[in-house]
Amino acid sequence: MGSIEVVDKKRSFRADIQGLRALAVLSVVIFHISPYHLPGGYLGVDIFFVISGYLIIGQLWRSIKTDTFSFATFYANRFKRLLPALLTVLTISSILAFYLLLPYEYEKYVYSLTSSLLYFSNFLFYSQSGYFSHDLELAPLLHTWSLSVEEQFYLLFPFILILISKFTKIQTRALALLMGIAVLSLLASHLLLSIDASLSFFSSPTRFWQFILGGLVAIADKPKLSSVVRNFLVFVSLSVIVTSFFVFDKNTPFPGIYALPITLATVAVILANVQKGALNWLLSNKLSQFFGNTSYSFYLWHWPVIVFYKILFLGNYSKIDQVAVFSISLILAVLTYYLIEEPSRKLSFNNSKKKLITSAFGTSLLVIVVASLFLPIQRDNYPSKVSLYEKVHRDKGITFREEKCFLTPTVTSTSNFSKFDCIKTVDGKTNVLLLGDSHAAMWYSALNKSIPDGFILSQANAAGCTATYPLKGEHRCNTFYTWVLDELIPNTTFDLIIVASRWRKGDAASAAAMVDNLFKHSKHVVLIGPVIEYPYSLPWLLSYMPIEEVQGYARYNKQKHVNDSFISAIESTNADYFPVLDKICPAINQCVTLAENGVPMMFDDDHLTEEGASLLLRNFWRDISEKHFLKL
């Protein structure tokens, strides 16, 4: 990442910072290759942010204070340092994307290529999905979001520091102003966690406080610390960093105040500047320096290698595959470092800085234009059915009534349910409620289209909120189900409640407890069991291989185990159980993959299309009505 740069190498080279870079890049790479082994490895990016703040704010402040700052020099050095390796990786990735990605994927790739080279990919990926989402699992340039955050920092902070220097010449006041900006940034980051956690993660303003804390170490007066204190600080800080890699995971709220431990620990290591002893050796030995030197190229290469490797070798991602991905990424990083990074760093542009900046933009635009021109050519390489499969994947969830009757993490108010006629009951008719998460919402359209006269269907769904009891999920989910159990159902007459969720191993008993709660206010409850799941989007698999081969990717045994546990648990209640798995997969390697008109049964790895849901719900209303003597 950008923080790999060493400013004024003879004067300020810090071997311990190289060691921090090594720790940061290795944690990110290992996390992306195998999240199971290092669930908090994504925190390595935060280490990079602090290092960048230390280097860049320190450099900017010194040049501004001595009246030697030049925008042209600063941005020319940024481009010279960062762009050659980035262009190398993006050019090769674009060639691979042309041959390996599906048409719509390649189209999205070109958008991400454009945003990466123009440094706004963090906001592009935010607009598409969350960082840990399956939707971005095979986006080759997802990792460039952090580069865009850094570039936005490079773009804005020269102006901010110049304004501060003009406002006050007193060092303590300048530091106080910077700290004030950091506090506001941290507050915004934390407050956004409950409103839009993805924006808090991807946005540069919510990350600036991490850069600033690193920068404060560079420009503030250094405290006099003994060798014992320095080593103690580094020992504790490295312990916090390494522990965080294992304690944090994708479910940890982040960033906000939860990013303080990794940030402050990195600041402490830089502040301590330990120069001898075992801890100094740990950060400055040859292996640490090697990974520190190659960290930028290693970071650039590792994610495209992971994505393209998975596409080339579909199947189980074994330990051998993980070692292969690590090795390929490292080899490419070493080649890029010695053949691209080092030579470009030594080039002199003292008399043509503006030309360098212009050339950088021109080359970036050329790469974007060439990749865009190949869009129609690339699409012609695939059969027409792929267009149908891609359309199904693009249209995912359009029937869910998202943010109206299906609450998302960004829209959590239950007032929506009355505002958009989600809850409708009529005296003299059979009033039905569909309750659960997205695996309930996926049934709504098919249920409503086939609903007989005399039935009224209401919908109350919340994304990621499994219908289990006692309530132990996210705060927004607990709030949702508290409203359902304490207000909606007691005050509304529902003759039948249909419950569905993405059931997992261990949910059966708590789902049965939820059913028992629902029976307090409704005479009839039907629980829909789990559907089949795939490691990748079903339309995506169908685009790459024959249906016979797709069968081998169905996670039948796992879902069969979940299904069997629910059959046993629901027997202890008065509810009826609708075994979807038996309908979509009568046996192993016999799963139905296409519904009517060749439409895939699912639009992603585990959600049914409307056509798929309709196929599975044939005779559903008739069977339910006959069993419960409901009016048809």
Side-chain angles (χ1 to χ4, degrees):
M1 299 190 48
S3 61
I4 184 68
E5 182 191 25
V6 176
V7 181
D8 193 356
K9 193 167 184 176
K10 291 181 180 178
R11 181 181 118 187
S12 53
F13 176 78
R14 293 271 302 267
D16 58 332
I17 289 180
Q18 288 295 83
L20 277 176
R21 290 192 184 98
L23 184 62
V25 75
L26 286 170
S27 68
V28 173
V29 172
I30 293 171
F31 167 74
H32 282 151
I33 291 176
S34 180
Y36 174 80
H37 290 98
L38 203 66
Y42 60 88
L43 297 172
V45 170
D46 300 80
I47 297 175
F48 277 125
F49 287 164
V50 176
I51 296 173
S52 280
Y54 171 77
L55 292 174
I56 301 304
I57 290 179
Q59 176 196 14
L60 289 171
W61 190 249
R62 286 190 294 270
S63 60
I64 290 170
K65 294 283 283 184
T66 56
D67 292 324
T68 58
F69 176 72
S70 163
F71 281 104
T73 299
F74 177 72
Y75 291 120
N77 285 335
R78 293 288 82 219
F79 283 123
K80 184 179 75 169
R81 176 65 194 92
L82 301 176
L83 195 58
L86 178 62
L87 279 174
T88 300
V89 174
L90 294 185
T91 300
I92 295 174
S93 295
S94 297
I95 295 171
L96 292 171
F98 176 83
Y99 286 105
L100 295 179
L101 297 185
L102 300 174
Y104 179 61
E105 290 176 329
Y106 183 70
E107 183 180 328
K108 289 175 68 177
Y109 172 84
V110 173
Y111 291 142
S112 65
L113 175 71
T114 303
S115 66
S116 299
L117 285 170
L118 299 181
Y119 303 113
F120 64 90
S121 66
N122 55 324
F123 291 109
L124 174 76
F125 290 121
Y126 157 72
S127 69
Q128 293 179 350
S129 192
Y131 180 69
F132 300 104
S133 169
H134 285 303
D135 292 341
L136 296 178
E137 186 179 357
L138 295 178
L141 304 184
L142 172 62
H143 64 317
T144 64
W145 76 270
S146 61
L147 303 182
S148 291
V149 168
E150 290 214 17
E151 290 295 339
Q152 289 157 23
F153 161 70
Y154 301 150
L155 178 65
L156 291 175
F157 264 75
F159 296 97
I160 291 173
L161 293 175
I162 288 172
L163 287 174
I164 290 176
S165 70
K166 290 186 179 299
F167 179 78
T168 180
K169 301 297 182 183
I170 302 174
Q171 177 95 340
T172 53
R173 290 182 182 176
L175 294 174
L177 285 171
L178 273 175
M179 181 57 76
I181 296 172
V183 170
L184 290 174
S185 172
L186 174 58
L187 285 174
S189 176
H190 191 70
L191 290 173
L192 269 176
L193 286 181
S194 59
I195 301 170
D196 191 342
S198 185
L199 180 60
S200 180
F201 188 94
F202 280 115
S203 172
S204 53
T206 56
R207 296 294 193 144
F208 282 162
W209 66 275
Q210 297 177 290
F211 293 90
I212 292 173
L213 291 186
L216 290 175
V217 177
I219 64 179
D221 294 333
K222 305 298 183 292
K224 294 181 179 179
L225 303 174
S226 67
S227 177
V228 173
V229 172
R230 291 176 188 274
N231 278 278
F232 177 76
L233 269 178
V234 173
F235 176 77
V236 172
S237 299
L238 289 179
S239 299
V240 169
I241 291 171
V242 174
T243 301
S244 297
F245 290 157
F246 292 95
V247 173
F248 281 62
D249 60 27
K250 65 180 182 179
N251 297 315
T252 305
F254 198 83
I257 62 171
Y258 303 98
L260 276 171
I262 191 76
T263 303
L264 294 177
T266 306
V267 167
V269 173
I270 297 173
L271 177 66
N273 191 14
V274 63
Q275 296 180 357
K276 58 183 178 179
L279 292 172
N280 172 261
W281 177 87
L282 187 65
L283 292 171
S284 60
N285 65 73
K286 289 184 178 180
L287 187 61
S288 294
Q289 298 304 291
F290 167 76
F291 280 108
N293 289 336
T294 57
S295 61
Y296 178 53
S297 288
F298 199 12
Y299 183 84
L300 286 178
W301 275 116
H302 84 281
W303 185 250
V305 170
I306 291 171
V307 171
F308 291 125
Y309 188 96
K310 285 182 176 180
I311 294 173
L312 275 170
F313 304 103
L314 283 172
N316 292 324
Y317 194 47
S318 68
K319 290 182 180 178
I320 294 176
D321 295 313
Q322 293 170 355
V323 171
V325 165
F326 185 94
S327 302
I328 294 168
S329 301
L330 185 58
I331 291 169
L332 291 172
V334 171
L335 291 173
T336 304
Y337 175 72
Y338 286 108
L339 299 180
I340 306 296
E341 281 195 69
E342 283 285 88
S344 63
R345 187 186 308 186
K346 296 173 183 177
L347 293 175
S348 176
F349 293 94
N350 291 330
N351 299 319
S352 55
K353 297 183 181 68
K354 292 182 180 178
K355 284 186 178 180
L356 171 60
I357 296 173
T358 303
S359 299
F361 275 112
T363 306
S364 298
L365 290 175
L366 179 63
V367 172
I368 293 168
V369 169
V370 171
S372 301
L373 289 174
F374 277 90
L375 279 167
I377 301 172
Q378 201 262 1
R379 181 166 290 280
D380 290 340
N381 290 336
Y382 289 88
S384 57
K385 68 177 182 179
V386 171
S387 296
L388 169 63
Y389 296 157
E390 288 197 318
K391 183 179 185 304
V392 168
H393 184 69
R394 287 201 308 273
D395 292 345
K396 55 192 174 185
I398 59 172
T399 61
F400 285 19
R401 300 203 287 180
E402 185 175 297
E403 297 184 354
K404 297 177 181 178
C405 309
F406 171 56
L407 302 183
T408 64
T410 57
V411 178
T412 59
S413 174
T414 54
S415 64
N416 278 20
F417 293 126
S418 57
K419 188 189 304 181
F420 293 102
D421 293 329
C422 306
I423 307 299
K424 300 179 292 184
T425 59
V426 178
D427 291 340
K429 292 196 174 184
T430 301
N431 298 305
V432 184
L433 173 65
L434 176 63
L435 180 65
D437 59 15
S438 61
H439 278 234
M442 71 184 181
W443 296 104
Y444 173 79
S445 182
L447 282 170
N448 199 46
K449 282 189 174 181
S450 60
I451 197 168
D453 292 337
F455 280 60
I456 299 293
L457 181 62
S458 294
Q459 179 187 4
N461 304 146
C465 298
T466 310
T468 54
Y469 192 86
L471 307 180
K472 55 183 179 181
E474 294 181 44
H475 175 72
R476 65 181 182 85
C477 295
N478 293 342
T479 300
F480 168 70
Y481 281 116
T482 298
W483 172 77
V484 168
L485 295 173
D486 294 348
E487 295 184 42
L488 175 62
I489 296 178
N491 299 318
T492 314
T493 301
F494 290 113
D495 303 292
L496 169 65
I497 299 177
I498 301 172
V499 186
S501 285
R502 186 185 181 189
W503 307 117
R504 295 174 174 84
K505 182 180 179 181
D507 282 342
S510 51
M514 173 62 82
V515 166
D516 287 335
N517 271 276
L518 298 177
F519 266 120
K520 294 176 182 178
H521 301 285
S522 181
K523 294 181 179 179
H524 309 289
V525 177
V526 174
L527 189 141
I528 300 179
V531 296
I532 193 64
E533 296 186 3
Y534 295 87
Y536 304 103
S537 162
L538 178 59
W540 188 82
L541 287 170
L542 290 168
S543 299
Y544 275 105
M545 62 186 67
I547 290 176
E548 296 74 22
E549 291 184 28
V550 173
Q551 295 290 344
Y553 288 86
R555 290 172 169 166
Y556 178 80
N557 290 331
K558 174 189 171 186
Q559 294 305 95
K560 183 70 164 59
H561 179 75
V562 176
N563 187 57
D564 290 346
S565 68
F566 267 76
I567 291 174
S568 301
I570 300 305
E571 278 183 355
S572 64
T573 71
N574 292 321
D576 283 317
Y577 185 68
F578 188 67
V580 184
L581 187 66
D582 295 342
K583 295 179 179 293
I584 195 171
C585 297
I588 191 169
N589 293 327
Q590 293 183 24
C591 296
V592 180
T593 54
L594 297 176
E596 292 183 0
N597 301 320
V599 176
M601 290 290 291
M602 294 179 165
F603 60 71
D604 60 9
D605 58 318
D606 57 48
H607 290 93
L608 294 165
T609 57
E610 182 181 320
E611 291 81 0
S614 296
L615 180 63
L616 297 175
L617 288 174
R618 282 180 182 172
N619 303 322
F620 174 85
W621 289 115
R622 186 196 66 190
D623 294 343
I624 292 299
S625 299
E626 289 178 354
K627 189 158 189 175
H628 293 279
F629 304 104
L630 298 172
K631 296 177 182 178
L632 268 174

